[in-house]
């Protein structure tokens, strides 16, 4: 952990440059707009340690799988979002000297991520044999016109007249650092290079995505020479070298415009023209106009998703950082896209989709965006249903098994204990349908899209469980629960529980459909070939599922045999043991009682209504002391449950572990990219935890408390066409309905009506 960045409520500030920390800073300072993203790399050449990263949503390469020992059912490839053409590149030479911050003397370095207006600014002064030259760069990825980006570069020589060479360029010769076989994922198709304009069109190998990146630039200087460069010995490069002289004190300003278009959106043979046209239009409109639109788009985002914290600037910066990156990663404008655990900020996890989306991110998007955004996340899985059926079939099973990791519906993960065994992911995908419908009231979704997904997942659960006549119970053997620190266990309680929940929910939704829309019901029975006997079997399994129990603690066991392990607690670990995954052998981890992340507690979080407070407390007190929270997805679940148990101090401590996870590089892994999906967990810790926000039977309720370290906090919730502002202070809680019809809400179990005329204030 390192407190490296300055605290500011709307900015992340790097003041002075630590070369050894550059990869972390690059991750933290990433920009994205849902369509594309880039790490906070320097525009000018940098020969020091860096991960140059530019990623275009949905553009991947199927990287051939590496495994030691092939198992039937392993996928052939692991899709990876291809590190794409570097479009921010801008080389600078002053009096023949290359500006490379790894090699030259400089001072006053600052890199600032402005979260309010979503731009990155970098400034520094180079010292060239007694002459100081100030350099400032600003860039943004357009939130309104998502295919556009722009960069403003300013140079000012303070002491003498200098010769300047500025080279805006596009460099497509970029490799993924995590490529399995060191392959280059791209093939160059075409490059054009004219004065002030250039484009580079590339195609991913095998997956054939055509991506055209076009640039245009303008300089506030007439007297200049422009040389067209086709690269320093590099095929996939176009640049314009602009040479001129600048007087001492003269402000030189270059604006570079970029458009990135892909064959995901246009016919392959039109992509180049589209990018070139878009960039020309952008240049005509100019930096300021484009930026103003971008800023307005962000103002709207903040209006709907900001959380304000009074009295704790570090916490304020932390939560805004999380909300900012979530909104940079996924905007819901394209139902073919989803959320990768690292977003556009690094290469780990390949930029692909995990159960994280449904289990952690969905509530954030439901509460802070219009309903279609969350709906698109659900439709993503609906569209992949056929592939999920094929995936189950590969394992010799009926129904649908959604992949652990995917980009196009096909499984990419290739460790048997996860690919074949971490099947609980199916449950989160089913549960997301309930979350969406509870939240939006859009029950048409179930009828049109939900039923086939639920039915195929239920069918999978039924086939994956078997009846054990000795215990007269159904069981699910050979699984990995959310706790990945143990594999191939029998009867993981969470998996069995979420399987039964799916079966019951599906049966119930089918019953409702039969009553309300018999034709549609019949349609699905025929379409899915569902027989009465199959539905009866689902009913029987749901009634006779086996759940491992620890009588001596009066709680559910994580899985069969959990208590046979040597029972040690996290408090018994030495400081040098933590994190276990870095310091212990895998063998030692698997045999230990230590739990990576919420497992039983993940189930209690989902199915809280089935447990009384004492039971939740008993489970919590057993499992939390054994949990090492080595997945960033863990503390938020425990924080929410601690808040439910009115253990406010504990809830706050756990919240702190997630809130500044990347800003303070808590797990010393931010160099790999940010923990985007766990950022949604941080948001949940405040809204579902501290504010106790819940939806039950079409009604919303709150049970807010104020962490001692804060003076107050407020946030917005979008619910069924309404925007509700919640303000929590020391003495009171206030609610304001900003738009929409009157609504009944519950606060500390009391019912109130809220309308746009009058705010509601409740004294604590
Ligand atoms: C966690 C998984 C999660 C994945 C991606 C792993 O460390 O154990 O639950 O899906 O990271 O975030």
């Amino acid at each position: 952990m390192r407190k490296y960045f300055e605290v500011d409520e709307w900015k992340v500030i790097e003041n002075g440059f630590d070369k050894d920390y550059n990869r972390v800073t690059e991750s933290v300072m990433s920009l994205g707009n849902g369509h594309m993203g880039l790490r906070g790399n320097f525009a000018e050449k940098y020969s020091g340690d860096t991960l140059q990263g530019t990623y275009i949503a949905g553009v991947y390469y199927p990287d051939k799988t590496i495994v030691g020992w092939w198992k039937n059912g392993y996928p052939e490839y692991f899709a990876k979002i291809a590190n794409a053409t570097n479009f921010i590149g801008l080389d600078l030479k002053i009096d023949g000297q290359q500006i490379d911050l790894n090699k030259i003397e400089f001072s006053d370095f600052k890199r600032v991520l402005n979260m309010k207006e979503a731009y990155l600014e970098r400034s520094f002064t180079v010292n060239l044999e007694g002459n100081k030259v100030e350099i400032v760069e600003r860039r943004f990825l357009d939130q309104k016109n998502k295919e556009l980006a722009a960069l403003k570069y300013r140079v000012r020589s303070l002491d003498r007249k200098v010769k300047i060479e500025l080279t805006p360029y596009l460099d497509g010769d970029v490799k993924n650092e995590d490529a399995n076989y060191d392959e280059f994922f791209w093939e160059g198709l075409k490059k054009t290079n004219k004065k002030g304009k250039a484009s580079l069109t590339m195609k991913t190998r095998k997956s054939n995505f055509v991506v055209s990146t076009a640039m245009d630039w303008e300089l506030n200087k007439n007297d200049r020479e422009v040389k067209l460069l086709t690269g320093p010995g590099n095929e996939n490069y176009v640049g314009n070298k602009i040479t001129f002289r600048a007087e001492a004190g003269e402000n030189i300003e270059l604006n570079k415009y970029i458009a990135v278009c892909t064959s995901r959106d246009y016919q392959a043979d039109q992509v180049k023209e589209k990018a070139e046209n878009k960039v020309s239009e952008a240049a005509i409109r100019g930096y300021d106009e484009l930026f103003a639109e971008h800023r307005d788009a962000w103002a709207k985002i903040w209006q709907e998703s900001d959380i304000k914290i009074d009295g704790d600037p570090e916490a304020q910066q932390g939560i805004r950082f999380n909300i900012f990156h979530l909104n940079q990663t996924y905007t819901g404008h394209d139902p073919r896209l989803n959320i990768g655990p690292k977003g556009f900020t690094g290469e780990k996890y390949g930029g692909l989709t995990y159960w994280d989306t449904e289990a952690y991110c969905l509530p954030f998007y439901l509460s802070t965006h219009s309903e279609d955004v969350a709906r698109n996340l659900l439709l993503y899985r609906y569209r992949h249903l056929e592939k999920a059926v094929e995936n189950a079939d590969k394992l010799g099973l009926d129904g649908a098994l959604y992949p652990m990791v995917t980009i196009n519906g096909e499984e990419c993960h290739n460790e048997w204990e996860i690919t074949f065994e971490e099947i609980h992911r199916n449950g989160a995908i089913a549960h997301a349908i309930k979350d969406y419908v509870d939240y939006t009231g859009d029950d048409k979704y179930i009828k049109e899209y939900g039923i086939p997904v639920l039915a195929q997942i239920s069918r999978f659960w039924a086939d994956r469980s078997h009846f054990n006549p000795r215990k007269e119970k159904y069981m699910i053997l050979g699984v990995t629960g959310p706790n990945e620190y143990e594999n191939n266990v029998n009867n993981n309680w969470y998996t069995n529980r979420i399987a039964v929940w799916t079966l019951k929910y599906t049966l119930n939704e089918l019953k409702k459909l039969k009553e309300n829309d018999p034709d549609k019901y019949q349609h699905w029975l025929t379409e899915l070939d569902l027989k009465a006997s199959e539905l009866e079997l689902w009913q029987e399994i749901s009634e006779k599922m086996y759940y491992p129990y620890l009588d001596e603690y009066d709680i559910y066991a994580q899985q069969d045999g959990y208590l046979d392990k040597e029972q040690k607690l996290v408090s018994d670990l030495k400081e040098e043991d933590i994190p276990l995954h870095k310091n212990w052998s895998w063998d030692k981890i698997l045999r230990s009682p230590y739990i990576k992340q919420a497992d039983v507690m993940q189930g209690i979080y989902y199915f809280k209504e089935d447990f009384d407070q004492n039971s939740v407390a008993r489970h919590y007190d057993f499992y939390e002391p054994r949990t090492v929270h080595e997945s960033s997805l863990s503390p938020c679940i425990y924080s929410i449950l601690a808040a439910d148990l009115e253990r406010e101090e504990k809830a706050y401590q756990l919240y702190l572990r997630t809130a500044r996870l990347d800003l303070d590089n808590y797990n010393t892994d931010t160099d790999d990219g940010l923990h985007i999906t766990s950022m949604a967990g941080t948001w949940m810790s405040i809204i579902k935890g501290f504010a106790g926000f819940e939806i039950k039977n079409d009604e919303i309720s709150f049970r807010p408390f104020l962490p001692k370290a804060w003076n107050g906090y407020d946030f917005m919730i979008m619910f069924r066409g309404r925007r509700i502002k919640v303000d929590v202070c020391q003495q009171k809680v206030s609610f304001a309905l900003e738009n929409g019809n009157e609504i009944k809400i519950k606060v500390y179990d009391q019912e109130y009506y809220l309308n746009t005329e009058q705010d509601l204030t409740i004294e604590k």
Side-chain angles (χ1 to χ4, degrees):
M1 149 139 151
R2 183 171 174 196
K3 298 248 173 222
Y4 180 67
F5 301 106
E6 278 181 18
V7 174
D8 181 286
E9 297 196 344
W10 279 109
K11 293 178 189 149
V12 181
I13 304 167
E14 181 192 33
N15 206 344
F17 178 50
D18 179 348
K19 287 179 186 178
D20 298 330
Y21 208 60
N22 187 39
R23 279 185 183 238
V24 174
T25 311
E26 285 178 341
S27 301
V28 166
M29 304 268 175
S30 296
L31 291 180
N33 65 3
H35 171 69
M36 57 188 170
L38 73 168
R39 288 168 52 82
N41 307 121
F42 294 171
E44 63 278 352
K45 182 181 165 63
Y46 181 64
S47 60
D49 186 36
T50 173
L51 168 60
Q52 182 77 47
T54 312
Y55 307 98
I56 315 299
V59 175
Y60 67 90
Y61 175 79
D63 202 14
K64 196 168 164 322
T65 298
I66 289 191
V67 281
W69 194 340
W70 190 266
K71 310 259 182 314
N72 276 348
Y74 272 171
E76 299 287 330
Y77 69 92
F78 193 109
K80 285 174 184 160
I81 293 285
N83 199 344
T85 296
N86 166 14
F87 57 69
I88 48 148
L90 212 162
D91 263 353
L92 172 63
K93 279 188 185 165
I94 300 173
D95 287 336
Q97 167 122 36
Q98 176 89 49
I99 301 304
D100 172 352
L101 295 193
N102 192 39
K103 295 198 171 143
I104 61 167
E105 207 187 297
F106 63 94
S107 59
D108 304 325
F109 180 94
K110 245 190 181 186
R111 189 162 22 176
V112 180
L113 179 70
N114 183 314
M115 300 185 282
K116 189 168 190 177
E117 299 187 345
Y119 66 84
L120 180 64
E121 184 167 279
R122 214 163 38 92
S123 52
F124 53 94
T125 304
V126 294
N127 194 342
L128 301 170
E129 290 156 14
N131 180 26
K132 290 204 159 131
V133 183
E134 284 175 354
I135 296 162
V136 184
E137 186 232 313
R138 224 190 225 217
R139 70 177 76 144
F140 69 96
L141 297 197
D142 201 321
Q143 185 63 236
K144 170 99 193 300
N145 304 291
K146 294 189 183 299
E147 291 160 320
L148 299 181
L151 182 145
K152 191 181 264 309
Y153 204 77
R154 287 197 207 112
V155 183
R156 192 158 74 105
S157 170
L158 298 188
D159 306 302
R160 61 173 184 250
K161 186 171 179 175
V162 284
K163 182 180 162 203
I164 295 184
E165 264 178 48
L166 262 173
T167 310
Y169 66 87
L170 303 171
D171 182 7
D173 207 14
V174 183
K175 272 191 170 179
N176 277 59
E177 235 184 29
D178 71 338
N180 285 345
Y181 297 90
D182 203 29
E183 275 175 280
F184 180 47
F185 294 171
W186 297 93
E187 180 193 328
L189 290 186
K190 192 154 181 80
K191 45 185 183 178
T192 55
N193 203 359
K194 296 181 204 145
K195 269 188 197 171
K197 275 190 205 315
S199 76
L200 199 58
T201 304
M202 315 266 298
K203 185 167 92 172
T204 54
R205 291 171 201 261
K206 295 185 191 165
S207 48
N208 297 327
F209 290 105
V210 176
V211 177
S212 189
T213 310
M215 75 165 187
D216 201 327
W217 56 264
E218 71 206 2
L219 182 73
N220 64 344
K221 191 106 185 119
N222 292 326
D223 184 18
R224 67 206 183 189
E225 179 201 328
V226 181
K227 219 169 139 193
L228 303 181
L229 302 184
T230 45
N234 158 355
E235 274 183 35
N236 302 301
Y237 176 101
V238 279
N240 284 186
K241 185 162 100 181
I242 318 159
T243 312
F244 54 93
R245 295 205 176 264
E247 300 296 333
E250 187 183 354
N251 268 318
I252 302 297
E253 193 170 288
L254 181 132
N255 290 334
K256 180 179 179 185
Y257 302 95
I258 301 108
V260 182
C261 295
T262 83
S263 57
R264 293 181 64 258
D265 299 312
Y266 309 104
Q267 280 184 5
D269 58 355
Q270 287 173 9
V271 175
K272 175 178 170 296
E273 199 188 322
K274 287 279 175 198
E276 289 178 350
N277 290 344
K278 292 216 173 220
V279 86
S280 299
E281 285 163 24
I284 291 167
R285 295 185 59 205
Y287 185 97
D288 293 343
E289 193 179 318
L290 294 173
F291 182 71
E293 274 187 3
H294 163 78
R295 195 185 46 210
D296 291 350
W298 270 96
K300 182 162 184 290
I301 292 175
W302 283 117
Q303 189 188 25
E304 288 168 358
S305 58
D306 191 22
I307 298 181
K308 287 200 198 80
I309 298 173
D310 181 17
D312 188 344
E314 276 202 28
Q316 178 67 81
Q317 185 185 37
I319 192 65
R320 285 209 173 115
F321 181 72
N322 293 333
I323 296 169
F324 175 66
H325 277 292
L326 284 164
N327 279 304
Q328 292 210 105
T329 306
Y330 184 76
T331 58
H333 69 284
D334 180 346
R336 297 164 301 171
L337 300 176
N338 208 287
I339 305 155
K342 302 264 166 220
F344 299 112
T345 68
E347 293 178 9
K348 202 175 168 195
Y349 299 118
L352 312 189
T353 299
Y354 286 65
W355 72 304
D356 305 28
T357 293
E358 284 76 13
Y360 298 87
C361 301
L362 188 71
F364 170 80
Y365 290 100
L366 275 169
S367 300
T368 59
H369 287 74
S370 60
E371 290 170 4
D372 51 315
V373 171
R375 195 169 200 265
N376 278 349
L377 285 175
L378 262 65
L379 285 172
Y380 180 88
R381 299 294 191 175
Y382 168 77
R383 294 209 167 94
H384 290 173
L385 179 58
E386 218 170 290
K387 294 260 190 244
V389 171
E390 279 168 27
N391 193 36
D393 189 53
K394 271 193 206 156
L395 308 191
L397 289 159
D398 288 341
L401 174 61
Y402 277 92
M404 186 68 194
V405 180
T406 193
I407 191 146
N408 58 9
E410 285 173 12
E411 178 63 270
C412 284
H413 203 97
N414 54 33
E415 289 169 292
W416 63 269
E417 64 275 25
I418 293 190
T419 309
F420 308 148
E421 298 209 327
E422 209 177 327
I423 53 177
H424 69 78
R425 61 199 186 238
N426 247 7
I429 290 164
H431 201 273
I433 296 175
K434 173 181 157 52
D435 283 340
Y436 169 79
V437 175
D438 281 358
Y439 206 102
T440 59
D442 173 14
D443 41 19
K444 279 201 219 82
Y445 185 86
I446 296 255
K447 194 159 107 171
E448 298 300 330
Y449 307 102
I451 293 288
V453 172
L454 290 168
Q456 292 290 24
I457 293 180
S458 292
R459 194 170 250 168
F460 172 83
W461 287 131
D463 200 20
R464 188 63 166 73
S465 37
H466 75 283
F467 186 68
N468 175 337
R470 283 181 60 225
K471 288 217 161 85
E472 297 202 324
K473 292 279 184 194
Y474 283 86
M475 297 190 158
I476 304 182
L477 306 188
V479 303
T480 297
N483 167 32
E484 291 177 344
Y485 284 178
E486 221 174 328
N487 308 139
N488 203 32
V489 301
N490 292 337
N491 294 309
N492 168 254
W493 175 77
Y494 172 74
T495 307
N496 290 15
R497 184 70 189 76
I498 201 146
V500 165
W501 175 84
T502 316
L503 296 171
K504 284 190 178 158
Y505 186 70
T506 309
L507 287 169
N508 197 37
E509 289 305 315
L510 281 169
K511 192 169 152 236
K512 278 184 356 204
L513 190 62
K514 189 177 180 182
E515 284 158 14
N516 303 334
D517 192 343
D519 290 348
K520 195 76 190 179
Y521 175 75
Q522 205 47 55
H523 160 82
W524 284 124
L525 290 196
T526 315
E527 178 84 17
L528 296 162
D529 195 19
L530 279 175
K531 303 267 179 330
S533 57
E534 191 170 8
L535 303 187
E536 279 157 24
L537 175 66
W538 295 358
Q539 182 66 34
E540 180 173 310
I541 297 173
S542 69
E543 284 165 12
K544 293 191 185 158
M545 181 57 84
Y546 165 79
Y547 299 115
Y549 206 74
L550 302 178
D551 292 323
E552 51 276 69
Y553 293 93
D554 198 9
I555 58 170
Y556 288 108
Q558 188 173 271
Q559 74 259 346
D560 282 347
Y562 178 76
L563 222 47
D564 295 340
K565 296 186 145 200
E566 190 182 12
Q567 289 301 313
K568 287 195 162 175
L569 306 182
V570 176
S571 54
D572 298 320
L573 288 167
K574 294 194 212 76
E575 213 172 289
E576 60 264 30
D577 294 327
I578 299 171
L580 301 183
H581 70 95
K582 284 201 176 150
N583 298 309
W584 281 15
S585 71
W586 191 238
D587 164 66
K588 199 169 165 182
I589 289 177
L590 289 176
R591 286 184 291 103
S592 84
Y594 295 114
I595 300 168
K596 181 182 179 188
Q597 67 201 87
D599 189 304
V600 170
M601 298 316 286
Q602 181 78 32
I604 292 188
Y605 158 76
Y606 265 140
F607 308 116
K608 254 189 278 184
E609 286 173 40
D610 301 345
F611 296 86
D612 61 40
Q613 288 287 86
N614 287 336
S615 173
V616 176
R618 283 196 306 278
H619 284 89
Y620 195 102
D621 292 337
F622 181 83
Y623 285 109
E624 209 279 326
R626 289 163 171 80
T627 304
V628 283
H629 301 295
E630 287 184 14
S631 160
S632 61
L633 301 174
S634 186
C636 61
I637 299 297
Y638 277 97
S639 175
I640 294 168
L641 291 172
D644 273 4
L645 291 169
E646 296 179 15
R647 299 177 180 181
E648 298 177 2
E649 198 44 46
K650 184 78 190 171
Y652 186 66
Q653 274 170 21
L654 285 157
Y655 162 80
L656 287 180
R657 279 183 81 141
T658 74
R660 295 184 56 92
L661 182 76
D662 289 313
L663 275 179
D664 298 337
N665 196 11
Y666 240 80
N667 290 354
T668 58
D669 62 356
T670 299
D671 48 335
D672 285 339
L674 305 177
H675 299 81
I676 298 291
T677 48
S678 91
M679 291 180 171
T682 312
W683 177 91
M684 289 205 295
S685 306
I686 296 186
I687 309 297
K688 292 190 170 201
F690 301 171
F693 172 62
E694 274 186 7
I695 301 171
K696 230 185 269 171
N697 307 325
D698 296 323
E699 282 175 22
I700 56 174
S701 61
F702 299 87
R703 183 179 281 283
F705 81 84
L706 179 67
K708 283 202 191 79
W710 301 356
N711 298 333
Y713 60 101
D714 65 66
F715 59 90
M716 292 293 171
I717 284 285
M718 315 259 278
F719 181 72
R720 302 196 181 183
R722 302 172 181 90
R723 197 165 67 224
I724 303 167
K725 183 170 182 207
V726 184
D727 197 341
V728 184
C729 308
Q730 239 136 26
Q731 278 86 27
K732 55 186 177 32
V733 188
S734 333
F735 298 85
L737 183 64
E738 298 210 333
N739 62 356
N741 298 336
E742 185 172 74
I743 181 171
K744 184 162 93 184
I745 64 170
K746 262 193 196 158
V747 187
Y748 305 116
D749 294 328
Q750 290 282 322
E751 283 183 2
Y752 302 90
Y753 283 87
L754 190 63
N755 56 44
T756 45
E757 315 273 277
Q758 206 173 4
D759 298 352
L760 169 70
T761 299
I762 295 158
E763 303 293 329
K764 282 209 230 152

